[in-house]
Amino acid sequence: MSGLAFAQAPPPSHPLRFLATSLLWGAAAGAWLLVAGDNLLLSLHAPATLALVHVFTLGLLGNAMLGSLVQFLPVAAGSPLPLVRGVAPLHATFNLGVMLLLPAMAAHSAACGVLAVPLLLGTLALAAGAVLVAVARGSGARSVRTGIGLAAASLLATLALGAALLSMRLGWLVPARPLTAAHAGFGLLGWVLGLLAAVGGVVMPMLQGVRCITPAWRWGWLVLLAGLMLAVAADDFSVALPAAGSRSLATLPLLLFASTVIALQRRAPHRRGSMLRRFWALGSVALGGGALALWLPGRELLAGALLVAVGFPALVLGMAMEITGFLAWIALRRRLPRGVRVPGVGSLFDERHKRRVWWLHAAASLSLALACVLPGLARLAGALLLLAWLGAAWALWRCWHAASTWRP
């Protein structure tokens, strides 16, 4: 904790608005699955299913990761964002763009697509550019800043490929090459996994008590990930890799990340943050299972659900609850005059609430995985997902309320 620059922290409302919105998008995904049922679990390539995938990747993961960066860059990476005053409008325009993208994908609404593309391209490109400027000017560990910069660059590539894919789907561009694999590769491996690995290298020793990852291992991971991103680009744009090669590109970093997290947790010299450890263990097991499911014939939907709807969300949710505890403590500290003793930074978010949220998400994750094999369970999975994400939102509100009403 001593390495955190709390004085550089932005106003707590800036990251909190993203984190709270991500939980609402998770609840929206559960509600959609509850209403639509097994129609969303028949094919990964169905328009409505693709739209649901983007509820998770953009609505849930996008908000959670942007909110985490707003807090992590200045406090833990020594890289303050240059657009602090623009966080509120960025949040509003980004989420408006996501809402317009869904009918554009699910119902081929050209009118929504015309509005969604510039909103998402503008806000996410601006956010990625701000992150690149921040890490270039920052003073934190170079390997951490490089990892975050690589993730931001992957986000820019994901945006360009996503805009091209949507234009092809709406008939604005003539399909030339299948860009789906590159879009998913840059988005899930470069942006999401790359950012989680960069941030995890800092927060896992700090909040989970694992051993610090040596700089040599960090740089090795970055070289591997950058090479994989180049290979993903070559697969779609120049050299067509065999199916086994494409699967290997996806499974290698996922299995390496998941196994590293589990190994570090098992050998941690100072175990702490028990519920964060559980969320990261759940997410890592799901990522490993999703990577292995890619090799099973006819199980693309199961693999996608384990990665996009279970694994990555479990990782970011665990971090979101920890960040919310920090934000509540910072808000409480700033509200009271100096000299007043306040509760510890880790005591405002009740561990019982975190434990309840974990059990809800474990049940929802299991039901969703079963529903991918037995589509008749889709509505049950949707109900449990809705309950799990609403439970997470309620726990977050309880933490913030406790800090807002605390008196000496």
Side-chain angles (χ1 to χ4, degrees):
M1 298 295 182
S2 59
L4 299 179
F6 287 111
Q8 297 190 77
S13 61
H14 285 2
L16 186 65
R17 70 178 73 237
F18 283 101
L19 299 179
T21 306
S22 72
L23 305 184
L24 298 180
W25 277 113
W32 192 0
L33 185 58
L34 174 62
V35 173
D38 58 0
N39 291 327
L40 294 177
L41 299 180
L42 297 179
S43 171
L44 190 59
H45 305 288
T49 306
L50 287 176
L52 180 63
V53 168
H54 284 78
V55 172
F56 284 105
T57 55
L58 284 175
L60 196 161
L61 294 176
N63 274 288
M65 294 168 67
L66 290 175
S68 299
L69 279 175
V70 170
Q71 180 71 12
F72 180 86
L73 281 172
V75 174
S79 304
L81 278 171
L83 293 175
V84 175
R85 295 182 179 179
V87 168
L90 185 90
H91 167 265
T93 53
F94 169 65
N95 283 282
L96 178 60
V98 177
M99 287 188 286
L100 291 169
L101 177 67
L102 300 181
M105 298 187 68
H108 297 278
S109 172
C112 291
V114 169
L115 298 173
V117 169
L119 285 174
L120 290 176
L121 284 179
T123 54
L124 289 179
L126 186 64
V131 170
L132 290 173
V133 171
V135 297
R137 296 177 176 176
S139 58
R142 188 176 296 274
S143 60
V144 176
R145 291 187 288 121
T146 302
I148 296 175
L150 178 60
S154 298
L155 175 59
L156 291 174
T158 306
L159 285 175
L161 292 167
L165 283 168
L166 182 60
S167 300
M168 294 175 188
R169 179 172 292 273
L170 297 176
W172 300 340
L173 291 179
V174 178
R177 296 186 63 87
L179 305 177
T180 305
H183 176 63
F186 278 106
L188 294 180
L189 301 180
W191 164 234
V192 181
L193 185 65
L195 184 60
L196 284 169
V199 173
V202 176
V203 301
M204 283 193 70
M206 185 183 302
L207 301 180
Q208 300 185 36
V210 306
R211 298 183 185 278
C212 291
I213 301 174
T214 62
W217 282 101
R218 291 182 182 180
W219 285 112
W221 163 262
L222 292 175
V223 170
L224 172 64
L225 196 60
L228 288 172
M229 292 300 97
L230 293 176
V232 167
D235 185 22
D236 269 349
F237 293 113
S238 57
V239 181
L241 298 179
S246 298
R247 290 193 186 96
S248 299
L249 289 178
T251 56
L252 178 59
L254 290 169
L255 289 175
L256 181 59
F257 176 87
S259 59
T260 300
V261 169
I262 297 298
L264 287 173
Q265 287 187 341
R266 289 180 60 86
R267 300 175 182 176
H270 309 289
R271 296 189 177 187
R272 51 180 175 263
S274 61
M275 295 316 303
L276 179 61
R277 290 168 57 89
R278 288 192 188 184
F279 274 101
W280 274 57
L282 174 62
S284 298
V285 170
L287 292 183
L292 296 177
L294 289 172
W295 292 86
L296 299 177
R299 294 304 180 196
E300 294 180 350
L301 191 66
L302 175 61
L306 288 174
L307 296 177
V308 173
V310 178
F312 289 130
L315 295 171
V316 300
L317 176 57
M319 282 305 306
M321 290 194 293
E322 295 297 322
I323 293 173
T324 300
F326 283 115
L327 296 176
W329 182 86
I330 292 172
L332 177 61
R333 181 70 278 174
R334 291 178 177 179
R335 179 169 61 86
L336 297 176
R338 290 186 178 183
V340 176
R341 295 189 62 181
V342 299
V345 67
S347 63
L348 290 174
F349 208 126
D350 196 325
E351 288 293 311
R352 296 173 301 172
H353 298 163
K354 294 180 182 179
R355 187 177 298 108
R356 186 180 298 115
V357 172
W358 187 90
W359 280 109
L360 288 172
H361 277 267
S365 301
L366 178 60
S367 66
L368 183 60
L370 291 174
C372 292
V373 181
L374 303 171
L377 299 175
R379 294 186 189 277
L380 173 62
L384 290 176
L385 278 174
L386 175 61
L387 182 62
W389 287 105
L390 288 179
W394 177 83
L396 185 147
W397 178 84
R398 286 292 300 269
C399 173
W400 188 256
H401 179 72
S404 301
T405 59
W406 189 88
R407 294 291 183 272

